[in-house]
Amino acid sequence: MTVTRLVLIRHAKTEQVGPSGLGDHGRRLLPRGQADGHAAGQWLVEQGLVPDLVLCSSAVRAEQTWEAMTAGAHELDDVEVWREPRIYEASPGVLLQALSEVPDVGEPTAGLTVAMVGHAPGIPSLVVDLADPERADKLAVDAFNVGFATMAIAVLQAPSGVSPGSMALTTMHTARGLRDS
């Protein structure tokens, strides 16, 4: 795997309780979450962060987050998405395992941009595990330390590959969209 840029995304704002019978796994996005997802998709495109592949939790809120992101930026429509049940309630180690299974796409030296849509505490814990504090952008670290809210996005880069302590945290962004009051 030659992932050189990793975009870690926490799902957007959801209802507190899922529909009867579906529980936490079935929680859906609120209108605020939809708006924030649209803004996040636009931001990804504006930043040149259109992924080659998305690994998305099988939880309804994660899938709806990616759908909202593509609705906000149609440049994301053709991105390949793998539904990955292991991302739901996963530890950083499980998330890293899922990433290690991503095959090389295109030229092996070109590297990949892979996005992962998941949940706290797994996604923010993975940021901590992967980031090399010496190479991290100070503003990104400061933003991360404020908290990893819903619709938070962390961007990490490495010369090649994904392994603990090998990536630079380059950007932190929390997307907020326009919505009716």
Side-chain angles (χ1 to χ4, degrees):
M1 171 181 61
T2 314
V3 173
T4 57
R5 191 163 51 182
L6 186 58
V7 181
L8 297 174
I9 303 165
R10 182 178 178 197
H11 64 78
K13 187 73 173 169
T14 66
E15 59 192 0
Q16 292 296 315
V17 178
S20 180
L22 295 179
D24 183 68
H25 199 269
R27 288 171 44 208
R28 300 168 296 207
L29 294 189
L30 293 171
R32 172 184 155 188
Q34 291 287 340
D36 293 349
H38 290 177
Q42 293 165 359
W43 183 84
L44 279 184
V45 171
E46 289 166 3
Q47 301 302 308
L49 294 170
V50 175
D52 298 294
L53 174 68
V54 174
L55 301 177
C56 187
S57 165
S58 60
V60 170
R61 61 189 175 273
E63 292 176 341
Q64 287 182 335
T65 294
W66 183 252
E67 290 167 6
M69 291 173 73
T70 61
H74 294 290
E75 295 88 342
L76 302 175
D77 285 344
D78 294 329
V79 173
E80 185 174 357
V81 179
W82 293 358
R83 186 174 192 258
E84 179 51 73
R86 292 178 295 176
I87 295 173
Y88 179 70
E89 295 188 338
S91 68
V94 171
L95 297 175
L96 194 54
Q97 178 61 40
L99 285 167
S100 75
E101 296 169 9
V102 172
D104 289 336
V105 175
E107 295 297 317
T109 58
L112 296 173
T113 296
V114 174
M116 180 179 279
V117 182
H119 314 271
I123 292 289
S125 295
L126 183 60
V127 172
V128 171
D129 285 0
L130 292 176
D132 174 357
E134 298 298 316
R135 296 183 345 174
D137 178 88
K138 184 182 178 343
L139 292 176
V141 171
D142 290 348
F144 179 83
N145 288 334
V146 168
F148 210 84
T150 55
M151 211 59 268
I153 302 169
V155 181
L156 297 108
Q157 296 188 128
S160 64
V162 174
S163 61
S166 71
M167 303 189 85
L169 176 62
T170 60
T171 309
M172 269 298 305
H173 178 73
T174 301
R176 294 293 180 247
L178 299 175
R179 50 198 171 266
D180 296 329
S181 297

